[in-house]
Amino acid sequence: MKTSLSWLREYVALPADLTAERLDQALNNLGMEVESIVDQAATIQGDLVVGRVLTIEELTGFKKPIRFCTVDVGREAPQEIVCGARNFAEGDLVVVILPGGELPGGFRIGARKTYGRNSNGMICSARELGISDEHDGIIVLPSGTPGADARPVVGLDDVLVEVEITPDRGYEMSVRGIARELATHFTVSYKDPAAIGISARTDNSLYDLTVDDTVGCDRFSARIVRGIDPEAKSPEWMQRRLIQSGIRAISLPVDITNYLMLEFGQPMHVFDLQRLRGGLVVRRAHPGEKLTTLDGVARVLDAEDMVICDETGPISLAAVMGGETSEWQPGTVDVLLEAAHWDPVMVGRTARRHKLFSEAAKRWERGVDPQLTLAALERAVAILVEHAGGTADERVLDLDHVAPPAAIHLPADLPTRIIGLPYTQDRTAELLTAAGCTVAGTDVVPPSWRPDLLTPIDLVEEVARLGGYNDIPSVLPPATASNGLTPSQRRRRSVGRALAENGYVEVLSYPFVAPGTADQLGLAADDPRRSAVRLTNPLSEEEPLLRTSLIGPLLGTLKRNLGRGHRDVALFEAGTVFLPHLTPAAPQPLGVDRRPTDEEWAQANAIVPEQPWHLAAVLTGDAEPSGWWGAGRAATWADAVEAARVAISAAGVRDDRVTVRAAEHAPWHPGRCAAILVDGTVVGHAGELHPAVVSALDLPKRTSVMEIDLDALPDAPIVDAVHISTFPPALIDVALVLDASVPAEEVRTALVSGAGELLESVALFDVYESAQLGEGKRSLAYKLTFRAPDRTLTSEETIAARDAAVAVTASRFGATLRGA
């Protein structure tokens, strides 16, 4: 919200010596975040003075009319200035910036020769000074003294204030609301700009209008003015204030509605009366209806949208933006001014659905005072008739279905108990009265402009805010004994630490995905991961679903990093996925007037999706970088499998309980996908992405991922500390020739089962294929480490254990020792 200090001073008696620092502190204490406080006088550097035009010489021979002027600027000699404007004459008073000055935007002014003459300065237009969009000519002043500072004359002696308004305080998005807050803070008088008499009499026969949905629109008011001058310009003071507030001046009727939106906080709309066809109907849109809004975009409407219609159909997307067919035209002489009150929830959803975050929509979704409509129309009509003529109809249409605010019971001791400071009942009543509430004992009725005050705790917050946040002491809560991290928390931290130590970087993604994500990942039509929870009010309409897998958002993060120039990337994420429970019907909404029954509670929980904790990792590029030490190593599907092993081991599951076997599971490559099993149960998958997925997401070839369900892992057992033997190990290698179709992991398992208790570890270190081995054969070489806890093993014991291990592989897979 942008406004000027002079505008605020019209309605609140601020201290004359108010500094920017005090104003900043006051606004912050009131809960408004100050974006900037700018002294307009400082936006123009150097001498900006009033000048009187003494002579004008018309220069010829150029493509455009040029004038050579002498201007009295209060110095000994007149200034010579070349100017292209023609809307002034000799003797006129103008605004001159002298050499050495600087206009807004960093435009420096110097003495130079142009069009064959010396020009020492510039005669300024309103746009060049940044006070309006007017650029048809330079500013001609009604009065002034040559040489005097021109800033106060043209309104550049003001202070501009910009604040960020919290979503629950929509009334502060107006001069009326901010002035009221400052009056409370400084304990000074306040004049409500909306406290004006209503001259028009209520007569709903003014225009044929019907409101079909009084929930979406609980108040609709309108006035008619006929015979206005379509060429009438907005007054300079109005244009200046609109521009100071960041709104472009368009035309007098439109500027009036924007001006009153800023001053009152009441968005309005102006219709061309001659372009309306028949009566008006305010209703919900029919699904599939279309409307071309003022920005020229044809929009398909939703059943939740509110529209204003005439006989031709929708002519306005209510509370958000008008339609092309009824907008004010340059030749319009009869207008219908509308001021209504719309449902904030509806407006917020409509604005997000259509991506139309207009100034009006920003105010509506935060809440607007429903009692402002008649005052806003009265003021709008008065300004329009004053500056554009015309005749105002003495009637006002007012369909009012607004429910009065309900009283809130506030226990007398609640503010003291919650805030921690002593508040007497009188002090509480004083602060709430200053906020506009009506207080009668312990019953409080909030004002019409505060729809955020709904419960006793809201009133307590208001007491704390107006009483002064700075008065509330900062006291640390007492530190109580803690049980520490839960087992699941410790497991998650251990897993994350292990992956980070192995070169992966943790990321946090939004849990929202687009409907097309399942197609990009190549999920089958009957894949349960396609069934996702759809959000009723998503942050983005493009991503309305909750993820059923971490892979989609993680691949989006990978693609973003690749787009920033990274080539070797290894990322991981741990978080919940959402697996819906499909039910035939939604449960009845639960009230707050009583505790739900066990049956109601069970029905409500039946549709809550399961939310298991998953872990996913993705890597692409080089797993080991190249350099002067030699060539690097590209990341492969095996690295993804190893990431899963590292995570499961960090979760406390022993390696001998983990099995890896070939599998086919989207979105992995069918020949390079492994299922990860713990105690025979599949807990995840790892491998290389399917080429179609890589192509659809524009990712590098051989990109590999893994995803496991951490909640599916068994609890880590409590084990005794392992005795570390002090005796030397016995190392022996075996190379087994067997069918190439036999998985290496199954061979390793067979070796472990046959070697007995003396085996300490086994690791695959070589895979060899050759025609000498035979068709369909390969050699797998394993390094076996044997060690006894109480003695040094003899060579006979080691060879016997090796032979026992080889014998098991021979019986299971027909393996033979290579070279035997």
Side-chain angles (χ1 to χ4, degrees), residues 256-309:
I256 290 173
T257 60
N258 286 334
Y259 181 82
L260 292 177
M261 177 183 68
L262 295 171
E263 185 172 71
F264 283 27
Q266 170 69 54
M268 303 172 67
H269 189 67
V270 55
F271 292 95
D272 184 340
L273 196 60
Q274 296 174 343
R275 302 182 72 189
L276 298 180
R277 298 292 179 264
L280 297 179
V281 178
V282 181
R283 59 169 173 81
R284 299 280 178 176
H286 301 315
E289 272 189 311
K290 294 183 178 181
L291 170 67
T292 301
T293 46
L294 291 175
D295 56 0
V297 177
R299 304 183 184 278
V300 179
L301 304 180
D302 185 85
E304 189 181 18
D305 299 334
M306 291 288 294
V307 290
I308 302 175
C309 309

Side-chain angles (χ1 to χ4, degrees), residues 457-526:
I457 201 65
D458 296 328
L459 300 176
V460 172
E461 180 184 356
E462 198 68 8
V463 170
R465 185 178 72 91
L466 297 181
Y469 289 135
N470 293 338
D471 294 337
I472 303 175
S474 297
V475 180
L476 290 175
T480 57
S482 171
N483 294 325
L485 299 176
T486 65
S488 62
Q489 289 173 327
R490 286 196 294 269
R491 167 177 280 186
R492 293 169 191 172
R493 292 194 181 188
S494 297
V495 169
R497 188 180 303 111
L499 285 178
E501 290 170 350
N502 280 269
Y504 290 81
V505 177
E506 185 175 13
V507 298
L508 295 174
S509 305
Y510 283 117
F512 314 120
V513 295
T517 300
D519 294 331
Q520 291 178 327
L521 296 179
L523 303 185
D526 58 348

Side-chain angles (χ1 to χ4, degrees), residues 308-559:
I308 302 175
C309 309
D310 65 4
E311 291 180 352
T312 65
I315 60 173
S316 177
L317 187 57
V320 178
M321 185 173 286
E324 279 190 339
T325 59
S326 61
E327 69 173 318
W328 182 89
Q329 298 292 318
T332 298
V333 295
D334 300 335
V335 296
L336 183 144
L337 295 165
E338 165 257 309
H341 186 258
W342 307 95
D343 175 34
V345 175
M346 177 276 297
V347 176
R349 291 177 178 173
T350 296
R352 284 167 177 77
R353 185 180 302 112
H354 296 285
K355 298 179 176 62
L356 276 175
F357 299 101
S358 63
E359 287 296 321
K362 291 176 184 177
R363 286 163 173 80
W364 283 122
E365 69 174 348
R366 286 168 169 81
V368 174
D369 186 353
Q371 304 303 324
L372 279 177
T373 59
L374 297 185
L377 287 172
E378 182 73 19
R379 184 84 190 280
V381 168
I383 298 175
L384 183 61
V385 171
E386 178 183 355
H387 294 280
T391 303
D393 196 302
E394 62 182 11
R395 298 169 295 170
V396 59
L397 182 148
D398 185 28
L399 301 179
D400 186 359
H401 301 278
V402 177
I408 303 171
H409 176 69
L410 179 66
D413 64 336
L414 187 61
T416 297
R417 287 193 287 113
I418 297 298
I419 301 171
L421 289 178
Y423 288 94
T424 65
Q425 189 169 358
D426 290 341
R427 177 58 175 163
T428 299
E430 178 186 353
L431 293 172
L432 292 177
T433 301
C437 300
T438 302
V439 182
T442 58
D443 289 335
V444 180
V445 179
S448 58
W449 61 84
R450 294 298 303 271
D452 58 305
L453 301 180
L454 300 172
T455 63
I457 201 65
D458 296 328
L459 300 176
V460 172
E461 180 184 356
E462 198 68 8
V463 170
R465 185 178 72 91
L466 297 181
Y469 289 135
N470 293 338
D471 294 337
I472 303 175
S474 297
V475 180
L476 290 175
T480 57
S482 171
N483 294 325
L485 299 176
T486 65
S488 62
Q489 289 173 327
R490 286 196 294 269
R491 167 177 280 186
R492 293 169 191 172
R493 292 194 181 188
S494 297
V495 169
R497 188 180 303 111
L499 285 178
E501 290 170 350
N502 280 269
Y504 290 81
V505 177
E506 185 175 13
V507 298
L508 295 174
S509 305
Y510 283 117
F512 314 120
V513 295
T517 300
D519 294 331
Q520 291 178 327
L521 296 179
L523 303 185
D526 58 348
D527 194 308
R529 289 172 293 174
R530 279 188 172 272
S531 179
V533 177
R534 179 178 290 272
L535 298 174
T536 303
N537 189 23
L539 291 179
S540 170
E541 291 293 337
E542 296 177 357
E543 296 180 331
L545 306 180
L546 289 176
R547 65 190 178 193
T548 56
S549 167
L550 297 181
I551 293 177
L554 190 59
L555 293 180
T557 303
L558 171 65
K559 186 174 180 181

Side-chain angles (χ1 to χ4, degrees), residues 8 12 14 18 22-34 161 163-166 168-169 171-172 176-188 431 434-435 450 452 461-470:
L8 291 169
V12 57
L14 294 173
L18 180 64
R22 285 184 64 195
L23 180 60
D24 186 307
Q25 184 179 18
L27 293 171
N28 275 292
N29 288 342
L30 288 166
M32 288 176 263
E33 181 180 347
V34 179
V161 181
V163 293
E164 184 69 26
I165 305 301
T166 56
D168 60 332
R169 302 192 191 280
Y171 68 97
E172 291 177 349
R176 179 188 188 225
I178 296 177
R180 186 191 303 275
E181 293 287 279
L182 289 173
T184 302
H185 179 83
F186 288 107
T187 319
V188 294
L431 293 172
R450 294 298 303 271
D452 58 305
E461 180 184 356
E462 198 68 8
V463 170
R465 185 178 72 91
L466 297 181
Y469 289 135
N470 293 338

Side-chain angles (χ1 to χ4, degrees), residues 624-649:
E624 297 175 4
S626 60
W628 58 265
W629 53 85
R633 181 180 69 81
T636 66
W637 61 270
D639 293 289
V641 174
E642 182 61 20
R645 282 186 172 276
V646 168
I648 293 173
S649 177

